[in-house]
Amino acid sequence: MTDTQAATETIVVALNKLDRDPLNVRKTYTKEGIADMAATIRGDGYRILQNLIVRKGDKRGRFFVIAGGRRVAALNLLAELGEIAKDFAVECKERNAEDATEISLIENTQREAMHPVDEYEAYRVMSDSGKSVEDIAARFGTTETMVRKRLALGRVSPELLDLYRNEEMSFQQLTAFTVSDDHERQVEVWKSLPHHNRDVLQGKAVKFNDKRIKFIGGIEAYEAAGGPVKRDLFDTRNSGFALDAALSKSLLPTGWKSRRKHFAPRDGNGWRSFRPFRRKPTICTGSIRPTSR
């Protein structure tokens, strides 16, 4: 690269004067990626955190974008939506054409992705500072469900997060600990079990598919009675745990009454008591011989 780059100053270029650089090594951007970037820019008050790298274009007053193609595509999307002007002012740094390909390659390859734990903890910090799930989702162009999952992971015991960070625990194992907020209990389970599971972490909580919950009409009936529920964000088959085992037990008579009609006799005389009995098995000996017709 040339020595003049060190003295490069920031310039302001109108959005509609920026063109894709044919020397940019990255040719493809997904629609989803562009939409996510647009949401991020929108959430930050239509500001770009990192300046674009540009060079003079073939026509006077126009510039090729060496680095920052997805940011430009996102700005153009926002302009199409009428959220910003077509000549929106964009801060850029100008470089030489001779360096365009090299800069573009560095931009797209020499970038280390953020470690997942760092991301989870960052989400937790934003939440702890008072930002709502809805605000965080809008700021980063993601869904509220995804934000809740990251927050749940960020609230796992720091000791276990360090294990995952050091590749001593799998992601699947880490998600198992999101069903409990008790850090001491999480660590205790990890150290005591060769293969921990969600049920141990939940302690006395009753699973949604437990016979008792099914008998009273399902987890919805338990919730309707004011029962607290803990849901596992990472298990789509799991409808949650009933945290108040005493309440679920107290609802059993209600479930029994709702089933009495199935035992009422057809003559309409109402409920009758009955006593279950066990028939003694009859043992038969002998042989069966085929007969011809």
Side-chain angles (χ1 to χ4, degrees):
M1 294 186 182
T2 60
D3 295 334
T4 58
Q5 289 180 355
T8 300
E9 295 182 359
T10 300
I11 62 174
V12 177
V13 182
L15 176 60
N16 55 7
K17 299 294 183 181
L18 295 171
D19 300 313
R20 178 176 292 188
D21 193 340
L23 298 180
N24 191 328
V25 298
R26 185 169 184 177
K27 310 296 183 184
T28 306
Y29 302 95
T30 65
K31 291 182 179 180
E32 182 180 358
I34 293 172
D36 289 346
M37 178 61 72
T40 300
I41 295 173
R42 180 189 299 116
D44 197 32
Y46 301 100
R47 295 176 297 180
I48 299 180
L49 297 179
Q50 185 177 359
N51 292 340
L52 306 180
I53 307 297
V54 300
R55 65 183 178 91
K56 286 185 172 63
D58 295 335
K59 296 181 180 179
R60 184 175 180 180
R62 301 196 70 85
F63 292 83
F64 286 128
V65 179
I66 300 174
R70 187 162 70 107
R71 278 163 277 166
V72 172
L75 289 171
N76 282 323
L77 175 59
L78 293 171
E80 292 174 8
L81 295 174
E83 298 183 34
I84 60 175
K86 293 183 178 179
D87 60 350
F88 180 81
V90 183
E91 292 187 351
C92 309
K93 287 186 178 295
E94 186 179 356
R95 297 293 176 92
N96 297 322
E98 293 80 4
D99 303 318
T101 298
E102 186 176 348
I103 292 173
S104 176
L105 186 61
I106 292 173
E107 166 80 5
N108 287 284
T109 60
Q110 300 300 315
R111 180 188 303 169
E112 185 175 3
M114 188 177 187
H115 193 281
V117 173
D118 296 335
E119 183 180 357
Y120 307 152
E121 292 177 334
Y123 272 76
R124 188 198 67 223
V125 170
M126 286 187 288
S127 177
D128 292 344
S129 68
K131 292 187 181 296
S132 67
V133 170
E134 294 80 4
D135 290 340
I136 297 174
R139 175 66 180 82
F140 293 96
T142 187
T143 64
E144 293 179 19
T145 298
M146 185 59 69
V147 172
R148 289 191 178 92
K149 287 183 177 181
R150 289 168 177 168
L151 288 174
L153 289 164
R155 293 193 174 100
V156 172
S157 167
E159 184 174 342
L160 300 184
L161 286 176
D162 284 341
L163 290 175
Y164 176 59
R165 194 194 306 269
N166 296 327
E167 301 181 359
E168 298 176 36
M169 175 188 291
S170 70
F171 177 76
Q172 191 64 31
Q173 290 172 324
L174 182 66
T175 63
F177 291 97
T178 62
V179 300
S180 171
D181 295 326
D182 188 336
H183 286 180
E184 292 184 4
R185 179 62 173 156
Q186 292 173 2
V187 176
E188 178 186 352
V189 170
W190 173 257
K191 291 181 178 180
S192 64
L193 297 178
H195 299 289
H196 63 279
N197 56 67
R198 302 171 198 269
D199 297 345
V200 173
L201 286 166
Q202 283 301 326
K204 295 182 179 180
V206 185
K207 293 182 67 175
F208 81 101
N209 57 356
D210 185 278
K211 292 181 179 180
R212 291 167 289 177
I213 297 298
K214 289 182 177 180
F215 189 78
I216 65 176
I219 198 74
E220 294 79 10
Y222 164 82
E223 282 189 285
V229 174
K230 178 74 173 182
R231 285 187 165 84
D232 183 352
L233 296 171
F234 297 89
D235 189 351
T236 56
R237 300 168 300 174
N238 192 336
S239 294
F241 295 83
L243 299 181
D244 192 338
L247 175 61
S248 63
K249 183 178 180 180
S250 70
L251 294 174
L252 290 176
T254 303
W256 180 246
K257 290 178 182 179
S258 67
R259 285 162 171 73
R260 288 172 59 173
K261 59 183 179 180
H262 299 297
F263 297 95
R266 293 183 180 180
D267 59 11
N269 290 331
W271 176 259
R272 293 182 178 179
S273 62
F274 66 92
R275 182 173 58 190
F277 67 93
R278 177 179 296 175
R279 183 186 300 273
K280 293 182 178 180
T282 301
I283 302 176
C284 299
T285 60
S287 61
I288 299 176
R289 299 179 180 178
T291 59
S292 59
R293 292 183 180 181

